[in-house]
Amino acid sequence: MIQLPIRALLFVCLLNLWSCAGEQAATTSTAENETDFQADIIVYGGTSAAVTAAVQAVRMGKSVIMVSPDKHLGGLSSGGLGFTDTGKKEVIGGLAREFYHRIYLHYQKDSSWQWQKKEEYGNKGQGTPAIDGTERTMWIFEPHAAEQVFEDFVRENNLKVFRNEWLNRESGVKKENGKIVSMQTLNGKTFRGKMFIDATYEGDLMAAAGVSYHVGREANSVYGEEWNGIQVGVLHHGHHFKTNVSPYKVPGNPSSGLLPRISGEDPGKKGEGDNKLQAYCFRMCLTNHPENRIPFSKPEDYDSTQYELLVRVFDAGWRELFNKFDPVPNRKTDTNNHGPFSTDNIGMNYDYPEASYERRKEIIKEHETYQKGLMYFIATDRRIPADVQKEFNTWGLPKDEFTDNGNWPHQIYVREARRMVSDYVMTEHETLGKKPVQQSVGMGSYTLDSHNIQRYVKPDGFVQNEGDIGVHIEEPYQIGYGALIPKKAECQNLLVPVCVSSSHIAFGSIRMEPVFMILGQSATTAAVLAIDKGIAVQDVAYEELKAQLEKDKQVLSKPAKAM
C-alpha cells in the first residue's frame, strides 16, 4: 500500500471535492436550463397528500415528478398543525401511519428533546395518547420534525421535486381527447405525464383542467342534509358569544356604526346555501421556554381598533384564552382558534379559492397582519385583564421553528376552498353511516367540523357568529373511490385526493391531514393501475385497486378490533 505524505493526501482530497462539486454544479445547471420534463405521473402540490402520492408512485415502480408551488413540503402537517386531528387512529394506515411511525422514531432519540425532558412532556393527544408505544406511533409533534420526515421521504425515494413552481392557471393546462397532456408553470416549465394528481388545498389544477367544482355551502335541499347550509342559531362549540355583546362603536347605538370585523349583511336563512367559506388562520407554534422564546412584536399596519370586540368579550367575563394552547414536545404548542374572537379571521377569505395569485398573497398577508396584531394587542393593550396578559407574555414564537420565515408558519390553514363535483359526492349521509359507501379507498372518522363563517348582528342588536358546526360521528366511515375522480366526460387521467367530491359539511370531516395522506396514496395506486391497463381512471377495476391498497396496508373498512 502506497503511503502518501499528509500534505499530498490533503491535496488529493481537495481535488476530489472540487471534482464532485463541479459535477454537481453541471447537473444543477443543466436541470435549470431545461424547460420540458416528463414522467409517468405528475403530482401538483406540496401538501402531505402530494408527498404520499409521489412516494407511492416510486414504490409501485413508476416515474414521478412533484411540481410544488411551495418551498416547504407537508402543508399544514409541517406548517404548525402538530396536534393531529386523528379521529380514530385504527383507520389510519399505509404511508400515513408510516409518517406517524417515523415521528415516533424521531422522538425516541434523546437529541430530539432539547428544551424539555421527555418524561416532562406528558402524553396528551387529540382523542388518543400523543405517544403510542404499543403501535410505535406518535401523533403530536413540532413543525420542523414533521418537515424532516417529509424531506426524508423525498431523499430516500429520490423524488424529483420542483419547488416554487406555480401552475399557469390561465393557459397552462393542455388537454387532448379528454386527457391532460401537459401542464405549464409560470416559469415556463412544461410537465408531461400519463396521469396527473392535484394534491393542492385549492384545487387549481382541477379547475384549470375544466373539472366541475363548488365553492361555499350547498343548501341542505341539494343533498337532503341537515348540517350543510347556513346554520343561523346553531351554536355547537364554544366559539360563539355566550353573553350579549354590542357590535356598535358606541355600545347600544346603531348610528355609531359597526366595530371592525362584523358584517352588516343579513346572514341568510337557515338551510340555504351561500358562497362563503369557513375561516382561515395560521396554526401558530408558540413556546414558553425563556431561552427559545421571541416576544410578540408589533406588525406593520398594526391597528388596535381591529380588536375592540375582544376587549368586550373579556369585559363580559370570558377567560378561555389558553384553552387551545395544545402542547407539543419541547415546551411548544399548536395554538388554534378558540372562543368568539380569536385567531380565525372570520369573513376575510371568501374570494380566496378563485382569486389570482396576487390577490391570494394579499389575503394571506392580511391574515398574517391580523393574527400577529392580535398577539401584540393581547400582549400590550392596557385593557386586557392583567392576569391574562401576564401569563400571555410568558409565550412567544420559538426561535427554532420556521427559521426562514420570521418564525411564522409558512402555510395558512386553507380549511376549505374548491371541492370537486363528480358523479359521486360524499355527503353527511355517508359520513354519519346513514348510506353505505361503495369502493372504499380509505377511511375518515373525525367530527363533522366547520369553523365559523360569518359574524353578524342579530335582530336583537347583539353580535353573533355563524357556521361553527361539530357533529359527532359514531363510527369510522369509508371514502368512495368516486370522490377522487372527475366525471369521465371532463377528464380521464386526473385524480383529486384533497379537494375531493363532497359537500361542505362532509368535507368538514374528510379535510384532516391523516386522511389527505391516505387519499394521496390511494389516488396514485389507482393512477398506476390505469397506466398499466391503458385505461381511464374511471375504468379502473376496483377489486384490483382494493387488493393493492390492502397489500400496502391501507385500511378500507372498520377493523374488527382496535389496532
Side-chain angles (χ1 to χ4, degrees):
M1 183 176 184
I2 300 174
Q3 299 291 326
L4 292 175
I6 292 177
R7 292 179 64 181
L9 186 61
L10 286 173
F11 182 71
V12 171
C13 290
L14 284 172
L15 283 177
N16 286 334
L17 286 172
W18 290 334
S19 175
C20 290
E23 291 176 7
Q24 180 63 41
T27 301
T28 302
S29 176
T30 301
E32 288 176 351
N33 292 332
E34 290 181 25
T35 59
D36 204 299
F37 303 89
Q38 188 165 346
D40 293 321
I41 299 172
I42 306 297
V43 177
Y44 183 56
T47 62
S48 59
V51 177
T52 57
V55 170
Q56 181 69 0
V58 171
R59 291 187 177 182
M60 293 188 72
K62 300 300 180 187
S63 59
V64 61
I65 296 175
M66 276 185 67
V67 183
S68 173
D70 311 305
K71 173 183 176 182
H72 298 275
L73 303 182
L76 258 296
S77 285
S78 62
L81 205 167
F83 197 72
T84 304
D85 303 306
T86 48
K88 303 292 185 182
K89 65 182 180 180
E90 59 265 25
V91 300
I92 300 172
L95 284 167
R97 180 163 283 262
E98 182 176 335
F99 170 84
Y100 297 106
H101 171 61
R102 288 174 178 236
I103 292 290
Y104 171 85
L105 294 178
H106 171 78
Y107 286 107
Q108 290 299 300
K109 296 181 291 187
D110 291 340
S111 60
S112 298
W113 298 90
Q114 182 178 1
W115 304 108
Q116 182 181 43
K117 294 181 179 179
K118 183 179 179 182
E119 56 269 22
E120 295 174 348
Y121 165 59
N123 206 21
K124 178 187 176 184
Q126 189 171 175
T128 183
I131 306 171
D132 186 337
T134 302
E135 290 296 322
R136 293 172 58 80
T137 51
M138 187 163 176
W139 308 95
I140 313 299
F141 46 82
E142 299 161 277
H144 76 267
E147 185 169 4
Q148 186 58 57
V149 171
F150 289 119
E151 291 296 343
D152 288 345
F153 275 135
V154 170
R155 175 179 50 82
E156 293 167 13
N157 293 280
N158 295 314
L159 294 180
K160 196 168 189 178
V161 183
F162 289 81
R163 305 176 197 238
N164 198 31
E165 290 290 344
W166 299 78
L167 174 67
N168 179 343
R169 292 158 57 189
E170 300 300 320
S171 58
V173 176
K174 303 299 181 185
K175 292 175 67 179
E176 294 179 4
N177 301 319
K179 295 182 178 181
I180 301 173
V181 176
S182 65
M183 57 168 277
Q184 188 177 63
T185 61
L186 295 178
N187 287 338
K189 294 184 177 67
T190 298
F191 299 90
R192 308 178 191 278
K194 299 173 184 176
M195 291 285 157
F196 291 78
I197 295 175
D198 184 343
T200 63
Y201 290 124
E202 295 84 3
D204 283 342
L205 176 58
M206 169 188 73
V211 171
S212 299
Y213 61 86
H214 186 81
V215 175
R217 295 181 282 189
E218 300 91 346
N220 282 338
S221 59
V222 174
Y223 299 117
E225 295 174 293
E226 180 180 359
W227 303 111
N228 191 5
I230 296 168
Q231 299 289 321
V232 171
V234 179
L235 306 170
H236 280 177
H237 291 119
H239 312 314
H240 61 275
F241 294 85
K242 298 177 182 179
T243 58
N244 288 335
V245 174
S246 177
Y248 304 112
K249 293 178 180 177
V250 177
N253 183 1
S255 65
S256 66
L258 291 170
L259 290 175
R261 302 182 185 276
I262 300 174
S263 172
E265 298 180 1
D266 188 317
K269 295 180 181 180
K270 185 177 180 181
E272 290 182 342
D274 60 18
N275 62 352
K276 298 178 173 64
L277 299 169
Q278 57 180 310
Y280 297 172
C281 70
F282 289 91
R283 294 289 285 254
M284 295 180 300
C285 182
L286 304 182
T287 183
N288 64 356
H289 195 295
E291 296 179 30
N292 195 34
R293 179 178 64 88
I294 302 172
F296 298 111
S297 60
K298 184 178 180 179
E300 293 183 14
D301 302 322
Y302 173 70
D303 178 5
S304 64
T305 66
Q306 298 298 307
Y307 313 105
E308 179 67 31
L309 195 55
L310 178 60
V311 174
R312 297 186 186 181
V313 171
F314 277 125
D315 288 346
W318 185 80
R319 292 294 186 275
E320 300 175 19
L321 180 65
F322 303 103
N323 283 24
K324 285 301 291 178
F325 280 46
D326 292 315
V328 302
N330 284 307
R331 287 180 61 173
K332 297 177 187 175
T333 71
D334 167 358
T335 297
N336 195 13
N337 175 84
H338 185 75
F341 190 100
S342 184
T343 57
D344 274 2
N345 197 2
I346 300 171
M348 303 300 288
N349 62 340
Y350 298 157
D351 59 332
Y352 180 87
E354 303 281 35
S356 66
Y357 293 134
E358 291 74 19
R359 173 60 184 146
R360 284 183 186 170
K361 289 178 182 178
E362 292 174 357
I363 295 169
I364 292 170
K365 184 61 178 178
E366 194 278 333
H367 278 68
E368 181 180 338
T369 298
Y370 164 74
Q371 197 161 329
K372 285 182 174 179
L374 177 63
M375 298 300 104
Y376 182 74
F377 182 82
I378 298 173
T380 62
D381 195 276
R382 59 181 176 80
R383 295 170 293 172
I384 301 298
D387 58 332
V388 172
Q389 192 169 76
K390 181 179 180 181
E391 182 177 353
F392 187 76
N393 278 315
T394 65
W395 294 92
L397 300 177
K399 296 177 182 178
D400 58 350
E401 297 290 352
F402 312 118
T403 55
D404 65 347
N405 197 44
N407 310 102
W408 190 255
H410 47 69
Q411 173 69 59
I412 193 171
Y413 196 170
V414 179
R415 288 189 170 94
E416 185 175 17
R418 299 182 180 97
R419 300 186 311 280
M420 182 167 62
V421 179
S422 189
D423 291 326
Y424 182 80
V425 180
M426 289 286 295
T427 71
E428 70 177 45
H429 304 299
E430 285 78 16
T431 60
L432 293 175
K434 296 178 180 179
K435 282 187 178 180
V437 173
Q438 304 298 321
Q439 301 187 345
S440 172
V441 290
M443 300 193 75
S445 60
Y446 201 79
T447 299
L448 293 179
D449 181 75
S450 173
H451 282 233
N452 277 309
I453 293 173
Q454 301 179 86
R455 179 177 289 134
Y456 69 102
V457 181
K458 297 184 295 178
D460 62 6
F462 296 106
V463 65
Q464 191 52 275
N465 296 333
E466 182 275 325
D468 187 78
I469 299 297
V471 179
H472 178 67
I473 289 176
E474 292 292 336
E475 298 287 347
Y477 59 87
Q478 298 172 316
I479 299 170
Y481 177 54
L484 306 189
I485 54 177
K487 298 174 182 177
K488 190 173 184 180
E490 293 180 347
C491 193
Q492 298 176 26
N493 66 336
L494 173 69
L495 294 108
V496 184
V498 176
C499 296
V500 297
S501 180
S502 62
S503 69
H504 154 73
I505 198 59
F507 191 73
S509 173
I510 295 169
R511 64 176 182 85
M512 305 304 158
E513 289 292 301
V515 179
F516 286 156
M517 289 189 234
I518 290 167
L519 298 183
Q521 179 179 359
S522 293
T524 291
T525 306
V528 171
L529 295 178
I531 291 172
D532 289 345
K533 298 287 187 179
I535 56 177
V537 294
Q538 293 83 3
D539 296 329
V540 169
Y542 177 68
E543 288 305 315
E544 294 182 22
L545 176 59
K546 178 182 178 182
Q548 184 64 49
L549 293 176
E550 290 180 338
K551 177 182 176 182
D552 294 331
K553 300 182 180 180
Q554 290 279 51
V555 181
L556 305 183
S557 59
K558 182 185 175 185
K561 60 180 180 179
M563 298 177 69

